[in-house]
Amino acid sequence: LTLGGIKIGSALLETRNSPPYTGLYSRVNSVKWVSLFYSIEDGVETLLLKRPQRDPKKPAIFHSHSYKVKMIEGPYRVNKEFLFDHAKKMIVYTDLLNNEKSNHILKEQTIDPLSGLYHIRQSTLRPGKSVFLNIFNNKLIYRVEVQVLRKEAITTGLGSFNTILVRSNMDLVGDGVFYTPGDIYIWLTDDDMKVPVVIEKRINALVEGKLPDFIKEKMPAYLKEKISSGSVRAVLVKRY
């Protein structure tokens, strides 16, 4: 995980099958030198439940069952969870930090922020077309457009890949380091697996928006410029 070309941490995306659920897990942790003044400890987990469609000829689809997120980013804290009750068509929202609980109407095809990437990977991606997702977070359902930009060959430390590049703006949808203002770009392998090879967040105003004043005051001008005009970038280094 890099910021403006500088390594700031590590990121993990993982899928586990635990019938009847499919679990999605995300972890982001800062390296030691960053943690001294701006610790990042992000953990998100989602459980998906496979359900058949009314038309038996169509493949089964995955519904969000539960979503849990616990994050520490400097002074910023998040600890909340959602339960998707499809029988009652209700989402139970719980904010564990503020001891708050509320119920919200569950509309068709509504998912959680983390499983958004999973659903993109399950979709047919054609350059020039868009995929639309209904994502619940912060007590609201957002209609999110994912633009399929183009096919592109890229090279990383793990090798060369033929990829499909998609772009979306999810500023209001999620929590954490990849949700500062700006577009998010994802390079997926151009095959049936659609494995994320690179995830990049173009940052418009990180220094002004999220870094505490005491850090900005001590930060050299060249580093501040590099970070504020750069991007948060996660690159695939190991494929299971």
Side-chain angles (χ1 to χ4, degrees):
L1 188 68
T2 61
L3 173 58
I6 301 170
K7 184 174 181 180
I8 62 168
S10 60
L12 170 69
L13 283 173
E14 185 179 9
T15 302
R16 302 178 199 162
N17 288 317
S18 303
Y21 302 109
T22 295
L24 309 179
Y25 303 88
S26 170
R27 300 284 184 271
V28 178
N29 294 96
S30 53
V31 295
K32 289 184 179 180
W33 72 268
V34 173
S35 297
L36 291 174
F37 57 87
Y38 196 84
S39 179
I40 300 174
E41 297 179 25
D42 296 353
V44 185
E45 61 179 71
T46 291
L47 292 181
L48 301 177
L49 189 60
K50 189 175 182 179
R51 292 178 180 270
Q53 298 197 58
R54 293 179 180 177
D55 184 349
K57 295 181 180 180
K58 293 183 178 181
I61 57 178
F62 287 87
H63 292 286
S64 294
H65 173 72
S66 63
Y67 173 82
K68 297 180 180 180
V69 54
K70 189 173 184 179
M71 293 183 170
I72 298 174
E73 292 190 7
Y76 180 62
R77 300 287 189 276
V78 174
N79 189 359
K80 60 187 177 184
E81 56 188 48
F82 318 149
L83 178 64
F84 293 76
D85 189 333
H86 293 273
K88 296 181 179 179
K89 297 190 180 301
M90 181 181 298
I91 301 171
V92 181
Y93 173 96
T94 305
D95 185 333
L96 298 171
L97 286 181
N98 298 309
N99 194 27
E100 178 184 354
K101 192 170 185 177
S102 57
N103 296 330
H104 305 267
I105 296 174
L106 173 57
K107 297 180 180 179
E108 290 296 324
Q109 304 299 320
T110 297
I111 58 178
D112 62 86
L114 181 58
S115 65
L117 177 57
Y118 186 86
H119 283 269
I120 293 171
R121 294 176 60 196
Q122 302 300 311
S123 301
T124 300
L125 303 178
R126 297 187 178 92
K129 302 294 184 179
S130 293
V131 175
F132 291 89
L133 304 173
N134 296 323
I135 297 180
F136 176 85
N137 198 11
N138 301 321
K139 305 179 188 178
L140 294 171
I141 296 176
Y142 299 90
R143 182 71 167 170
V144 177
E145 180 183 8
V146 181
Q147 299 172 326
V148 185
L149 299 182
R150 60 182 177 272
K151 296 189 177 186
E152 187 174 308
I154 64 172
T155 300
T156 72
L158 201 60
S160 298
F161 299 88
N162 292 320
T163 68
I164 301 175
L165 174 60
V166 301
R167 175 182 65 195
S168 186
N169 189 296
M170 301 176 71
D171 296 346
L172 301 176
V173 177
D175 308 281
V177 70
F178 281 108
Y179 295 99
T180 51
D183 289 335
I184 187 169
Y185 294 77
I186 306 174
W187 285 259
L188 303 165
T189 55
D190 187 11
D191 55 25
D192 291 339
M193 296 296 292
K194 296 187 182 71
V195 176
V197 178
V198 176
I199 300 176
E200 183 174 282
K201 180 71 178 189
R202 308 282 172 87
I203 294 174
N204 297 331
L206 177 70
V207 172
E208 290 77 9
K210 291 197 73 174
L211 291 181
D213 290 338
F214 76 90
I215 295 178
K216 291 186 285 186
E217 291 171 359
K218 296 180 180 180
M219 184 179 293
Y222 79 90
L223 182 57
K224 186 186 299 185
E225 180 180 358
K226 186 176 182 65
I227 290 176
S228 62
S229 62
S231 60
V232 177
R233 187 177 176 94
V235 181
L236 180 69
V237 295
K238 190 172 183 179
R239 182 173 177 176
Y240 295 94

